[in-house]
Amino acid sequence: MSRLERGVLGVAGVAGFLAAAELAGRSGLIPAEVLPHMSQVLLAAATLPLEEQFRSDVLATLQACLSGLAIAIAIAVPAGLLLGSVPFLERSVRPLVEFLRPIPSVSLIPLAMFLFPASQDAKTALVVYTCSWPLLINTLYGLSDVDPLAKDTLRSFGFGPLAVVVRVSLPSAAPFIATGVRIAVSVTLIVAVSVELLAAGEGGIGAFQSLAGSANRLDRMLAATVWAGLIGLAANLLFTAGERRLFRWHRASAGDVT
């Protein structure tokens, strides 16, 4: 099945869901005070970008996501390269990594808000924490896939450990690191909005949703949810397309050229 066919089927599925939800609301099966009509939600979603406050909230969320992701890349990728290049160090740190990695980020929101009273700082800190794990693990996995012969060949010509990492290990692990970035991108928005929901009034999509819910404007609250989903979808498509274009040679060598 081609990408176009998958896209058409995806759009048809979304349209079918919206039509079913609209029908359930119009027929009285779902009370309007529980779930607004989808037509109302979509109308509110269409008008939200015209509001300066909503645009400001979106920018606040994106700023925390992008800055947190950039910091995570700057920390986790070099850490992964170091651990992957020094087996003794990797074996020493692995138990700590396996202990911290499964901790849900949302369970750390109270701690982050205590350590960072400003909502924007708390969001950024949690995004860094969340994004670091897929980046670190994928970097380690990518280094384990490096051809030992290539590293030995470079050493035989007198290159040191740093040169081996830069010239062989990092380029070979780059596709895996890119996958880690794509995975991290998919969770940044979740973490940022979760913090904003608990810190309503300090900006962000989550704060907008919280205030709309407090005012009993469920249509606006769900409209903001629609925009959060669209932003997440666009980010995933963008990074997927970039990964496919930059590392097509890797996909081809793995037998996947679609």
Side-chain angles (χ1 to χ4, degrees):
M1 185 179 295
S2 67
R3 288 196 295 271
L4 178 59
E5 291 173 330
R6 291 196 296 268
V8 170
L9 289 177
V11 171
V14 172
F17 170 78
L18 294 176
E22 178 74 13
L23 181 61
R26 296 291 181 182
S27 64
L29 183 62
I30 301 178
E33 59 270 15
V34 174
L35 181 68
H37 297 159
M38 285 297 104
S39 56
Q40 296 176 330
V41 173
L42 294 178
L43 178 61
T47 59
L48 280 184
L50 303 178
E51 300 180 15
E52 182 180 356
Q53 181 60 50
F54 181 72
R55 294 197 302 268
S56 176
D57 287 331
V58 170
L59 289 177
T61 299
L62 292 180
Q63 180 182 348
C65 291
L66 294 176
S67 59
L69 179 62
I71 295 172
I73 292 174
I75 294 174
V77 173
L81 292 173
L82 176 62
L83 295 177
S85 303
V86 184
F88 172 76
L89 188 59
E90 192 273 338
R91 287 192 296 268
S92 301
V93 177
R94 174 69 72 168
L96 179 62
V97 171
E98 295 300 330
F99 171 75
L100 294 175
R101 186 166 61 95
I103 298 178
S105 300
V106 291
S107 67
L108 298 176
I109 291 178
L111 176 62
M113 294 181 67
F114 175 77
L115 296 175
F116 305 96
S119 174
Q120 196 73 5
D121 295 338
K123 283 186 291 185
T124 303
L126 277 177
V127 169
V128 171
Y129 176 84
T130 305
C131 294
S132 294
W133 301 119
L135 288 167
L136 178 63
I137 297 301
N138 275 272
T139 301
L140 290 173
Y141 184 77
L143 290 180
S144 68
D145 195 60
V146 177
D147 186 3
L149 181 60
K151 295 191 291 186
D152 292 339
T153 301
L154 209 62
R155 294 191 190 102
S156 67
F157 282 96
F159 288 92
L162 181 59
V164 172
V165 170
V166 173
R167 293 174 179 267
V168 177
S169 299
L170 182 57
S172 298
F176 298 91
I177 297 174
T179 300
V181 173
R182 178 166 52 84
I183 296 173
V185 167
S186 66
V187 298
T188 55
L189 195 62
I190 298 173
V191 175
V193 172
S194 298
V195 177
E196 293 163 354
L197 284 170
L198 295 180
E202 296 193 29
I205 297 175
F208 182 92
Q209 291 176 296
S210 181
L211 293 175
S214 300
N216 201 30
R217 290 299 307 273
L218 299 182
D219 55 335
R220 289 171 60 83
M221 183 181 71
L222 292 178
T225 303
V226 170
W227 275 107
L230 290 175
I231 292 171
L233 177 62
N236 184 69
L237 291 176
L238 178 64
F239 276 85
T240 300
E243 181 185 1
R244 183 181 295 114
R245 180 176 294 273
L246 290 175
F247 302 107
R248 188 173 182 82
W249 56 268
H250 183 261
R251 297 170 61 87
S253 65
D256 181 10
V257 293
T258 58

